[in-house]
Amino acid sequence: MSQDIPLIDIRLLRLLDTLHSTGSVTRTAELLGQSQPTISIGLGRLRELLGDPLFVRTPQGMQPTPRTDALMGTVREVLDGLRRLSEAQAGFDPTTARRGFRIFMTDASHITLLPRLFTHVRALAPHVQLEAATIHPGIARALESGEADLALGLIPRLDAGFFQQALFIQDWVCLANARHPRIQGRLTLAQYRRESHAGIVSGTGQLLLERAMAERGVERQVSLKLPGFLGLSAILSTTDLLATLPRHIGETLARSAGLQVLPCPVPIPTFVVKQHWLARFQHDPANRWLRGVCAELFMDTTRVMSAHDTEVSS
């Protein structure tokens, strides 16, 4: 009879879900707040209950067996259902909450969004801790494993399979020294071609920039390449180099260093800065609160078509 079938402990289901997402006993122990021996004992219990090795240790980490992959849909449905039951009783009070939020952010968002976000969160939730994490190729898997709560910026790899909300549209500007010897107040295409440039070599926005330059047949004379925006304003304020940047980061750097902000003479496609989160956190009170703060601070409702959360299926 069905009632004689032993039910699997919810803690073991969480272990199975986390280990499947991380592929690491060490990381699973960290995320669940348990010791590695406890995780190993739990895994042994799961193997006994389910009659399968479940995971095989390889140089690439703990790889799931076909039986494990087949089970994960059901496991996550059960966990999501239990979360919804808990959330019906639990709310999130920012004034008393003691927890941390980890947010993946682009390099530009660290400079443009994080200061405002931290100031706002600190005023509303004095015991909440924020951690800004750098975008990396494994961001989708990291969000799925619960290593972070949210991702902010232009992150095309999260446009499928994640909930997302458009915040604001970015166009492009050029920055120059306020005392530039040849450029004052306007920048022509001829000048843009002749002048030397500082270029950022990383970031998803830079791919749009390079593609636009190639399509328009514009070859910049890049004299200095930088991995990110750190130090760029100081360089521009002491040289005659130009830089082409998304408007938000460009205007932020210009204010801090007294630089000229000039319309870019090369048409570059705009892009949308979004916040992204995993479907299973859609109704989580804490995650909803954090997303609401980001929308309140950063959403430009005059330029973004919809202010509603949307889901893009994979």
Side-chain angles (χ1 to χ4, degrees):
M1 297 176 63
S2 60
Q3 57 264 37
D4 296 328
I5 299 175
L7 297 178
I8 300 176
D9 191 308
I10 181 63
R11 290 170 294 184
L12 294 180
L13 292 182
R14 290 185 63 210
L15 187 159
L16 185 62
D17 180 29
T18 307
L19 186 55
H20 186 269
S21 297
T22 64
S24 165
V25 170
T26 301
R27 184 60 181 152
T28 297
E30 291 173 355
L31 290 172
L32 297 181
Q34 299 177 1
S35 67
Q36 291 188 44
T38 299
I39 297 300
S40 297
I41 292 170
L43 179 57
R45 178 62 177 150
L46 279 168
R47 285 168 167 162
E48 179 183 343
L49 288 170
L50 298 174
D52 188 85
L54 299 177
F55 294 92
V56 178
R57 192 178 300 277
T58 73
Q60 290 74 41
M62 299 291 284
Q63 296 298 311
T65 65
R67 166 77 166 149
T68 305
D69 285 333
L71 286 171
M72 290 317 299
T74 301
V75 168
R76 286 170 178 157
E77 284 180 12
V78 170
L79 290 173
D80 286 343
L82 290 171
R83 287 189 189 98
R84 286 193 292 273
L85 285 174
S86 300
E87 289 161 7
Q89 301 298 324
F92 179 77
D93 182 357
T95 62
T96 59
R98 294 181 179 271
R99 62 154 293 170
F101 290 104
R102 191 164 189 251
I103 308 171
F104 283 113
M105 289 184 168
T106 57
D107 189 28
S109 296
H110 285 173
I111 298 172
T112 59
L113 305 185
L114 184 57
R116 287 181 63 195
L117 178 60
F118 174 73
T119 300
H120 194 81
V121 167
R122 191 176 191 185
L124 296 178
H127 305 297
V128 163
Q129 180 188 60
L130 294 184
E131 178 185 352
T134 302
I135 303 296
H136 59 74
I139 181 174
R141 184 165 181 172
L143 283 169
E144 289 167 354
S145 69
E147 291 183 42
D149 300 273
L150 206 61
L152 288 175
L154 173 63
I155 316 172
R157 74 192 70 175
L158 298 183
D159 278 351
F162 286 81
F163 279 80
Q164 56 188 265
Q165 185 179 44
L167 297 176
F168 57 90
I169 297 172
Q170 285 269 58
D171 60 353
W172 295 77
V173 297
C174 294
L175 301 187
N177 191 318
R179 297 174 298 280
H180 197 286
R182 294 171 298 280
I183 297 171
Q184 285 296 323
R186 64 187 298 269
L187 177 62
T188 67
L189 180 57
Q191 289 173 315
Y192 189 87
R193 292 176 183 269
R194 286 196 302 266
E195 294 294 331
S196 295
H197 295 251
I200 308 298
V201 297
S202 62
T204 49
Q206 297 307 308
L207 298 176
L208 293 177
L209 172 62
E210 296 299 336
R211 189 179 303 124
M213 293 297 166
E215 291 174 353
R216 300 283 174 173
V218 176
E219 185 173 349
R220 293 184 299 162
Q221 299 183 43
V222 179
S223 300
L224 177 65
K225 295 182 178 181
L226 299 170
F229 300 105
L230 182 64
L232 178 60
S233 56
I235 290 166
L236 296 178
S237 65
T238 55
T239 68
D240 62 354
L241 296 180
L242 301 182
T244 307
L245 306 172
R247 180 176 294 277
H248 205 179
I249 180 65
E251 291 181 343
T252 300
L253 295 179
R255 283 193 298 270
S256 68
L259 301 170
Q260 295 186 70
V261 179
L262 306 159
C264 182
V266 181
I268 305 170
T270 60
F271 61 88
V272 180
V273 172
K274 303 175 182 177
Q275 56 178 336
H276 306 259
W277 64 96
L278 197 64
R280 75 170 188 245
F281 294 120
Q282 168 73 355
H283 301 290
D284 175 71
N287 195 284
R288 286 177 65 88
W289 176 81
L290 180 62
R291 296 186 331 248
V293 168
C294 291
E296 178 185 348
L297 290 176
F298 308 128
M299 181 178 286
D300 181 359
T301 55
T302 63
R303 300 192 67 191
V304 175
M305 292 299 293
S306 174
H308 298 288
D309 295 351
T310 59
E311 179 184 11
V312 178
S313 60
S314 56

